[in-house]
Amino acid sequence: MTVDGSALQTVSRALAVLSCFQDDAELGVTDIARAQGLAMSTTHRLLRTLLESGFVEQDSGSGRYRLGVALAEYGHLAYRRHRIYLAEPHLEQLAVETGTAVSIAVRHGTDAINLAFTRWRETHGHNLSEVRFPLHASALGKALLAWSPVTRAELEELPYDLGTERTPQHAAALSAELELARDTGYALNDEQTEWGFRIIAVPVFGPDGHARFALGVRGTTRLMIPERIPFIANLARVTAATIGEAMFSEPAG
């Protein structure tokens, strides 16, 4: 079966429309059309198709759109496929031991995507933590890069305009941070994505010896003081090793 260019363009546009909802927002047709540079009529057609398939749903009162339940179904399938449920008890235990918030993430393009979180704690404040973080700015991303075969060209292509003034501004600065991470055994995000918070991350190694996932520990700067970070990092490494053994040694259920 051959697929013509117009069909591929339609699929690409539909995926781009879905990407508008990454912040879990409710959006109107105009918002989406403006964000993607699409005609209103094209945006309407794409949204109707996504609505019929359950990928988005529409508020009957406001007429605005939000992510639909079909994505929740696929999310659960991915959750089972990556066997994240095997990691969750260990994430919770580490969170209790350290008083922090703990998550596990995987690389997707130039971002680290959190796949599971511990229950909300004081370290999260009143807002939910984000799901997607730039690789170069986040501890999770740096852990995924530091313990994986990454080329200099890949580092050069990362979006260094994202982050705070503490974030690496170019590939050379990031390479230095990755080397430091390998030396210390953990990657550090010292207020590089959010003021007032420090995050450390360690790799969860796959059978090939590379970082398949990253385990992140997040806390306020008052909790994550420099003197305490090596102790927390050591607990995180032990937890990551236990998670790796559970996820890659047990037979699939």
Side-chain angles (χ1 to χ4, degrees):
M1 180 184 295
T2 59
V3 180
D4 61 28
S6 62
L8 290 174
Q9 183 183 53
T10 300
V11 172
S12 178
R13 285 176 170 176
L15 293 173
V17 167
L18 285 177
S19 73
C20 292
F21 297 92
Q22 285 179 348
D23 293 331
D24 196 28
E26 288 195 357
L27 301 171
V29 178
T30 303
D31 301 322
I32 298 168
R34 185 183 299 116
Q36 295 299 325
L38 297 173
M40 290 287 288
S41 58
T42 301
T43 307
H44 267 294
R45 288 197 300 272
L46 292 169
L47 285 168
R48 297 313 302 176
T49 300
L50 292 170
L51 185 65
E52 291 170 3
S53 62
F55 288 107
V56 300
E57 56 189 33
Q58 187 175 26
D59 185 275
S60 58
S62 67
R64 297 172 72 82
Y65 294 86
R66 54 180 174 260
L67 292 178
V69 295
L71 287 173
E73 178 186 1
Y74 286 108
H76 281 296
L77 291 173
Y79 174 88
R80 298 293 300 181
R81 174 66 181 81
H82 288 289
R83 310 180 79 190
I84 302 303
Y85 59 93
L86 296 174
E88 288 192 326
H90 306 291
L91 303 183
E92 291 292 341
Q93 182 178 348
L94 180 60
V96 170
E97 291 175 348
T98 59
T100 63
V102 183
S103 65
I104 190 168
V106 69
R107 180 180 177 180
H108 179 68
T110 60
D111 295 312
I113 307 297
N114 266 327
L115 300 178
F117 305 86
T118 54
R119 292 187 296 269
W120 307 120
R121 288 177 168 78
E122 183 180 355
T123 51
H124 289 282
H126 297 293
N127 299 317
L128 298 182
S129 288
E130 296 180 22
V131 173
R132 180 184 294 266
F133 298 94
L135 289 174
H136 72 285
S138 62
L140 291 163
K142 292 173 195 173
L144 290 165
L145 292 172
W147 284 278
S148 295
V150 178
T151 66
R152 182 58 179 253
E154 287 181 83
L155 298 185
E156 296 281 0
E157 294 171 357
L158 296 178
Y160 290 98
D161 57 319
L162 302 177
T164 71
E165 61 188 39
R166 292 174 175 258
T167 306
Q169 301 297 308
H170 45 72
L174 178 59
S175 294
E177 289 204 22
L178 299 184
E179 186 63 33
L180 179 61
R182 287 187 285 266
D183 289 342
T184 60
Y186 62 89
L188 176 65
N189 171 353
D190 190 1
E191 299 184 284
Q192 291 179 339
T193 52
E194 185 178 5
W195 294 111
F197 286 89
R198 288 192 179 103
I199 304 96
I200 61 173
V202 298
V204 178
F205 292 111
D208 59 1
H210 299 144
R212 185 72 61 86
F213 301 97
L215 174 69
V217 182
R218 177 179 183 269
T220 64
T221 52
R222 288 190 297 175
L223 174 66
M224 302 277 282
I225 59 175
E227 295 80 6
R228 195 169 181 237
I229 286 178
F231 169 73
I232 295 175
N234 186 58
L235 291 177
R237 282 192 293 269
V238 172
T239 301
T242 303
I243 289 173
E245 182 177 356
M247 296 180 78
F248 302 116
S249 296
E250 292 184 7

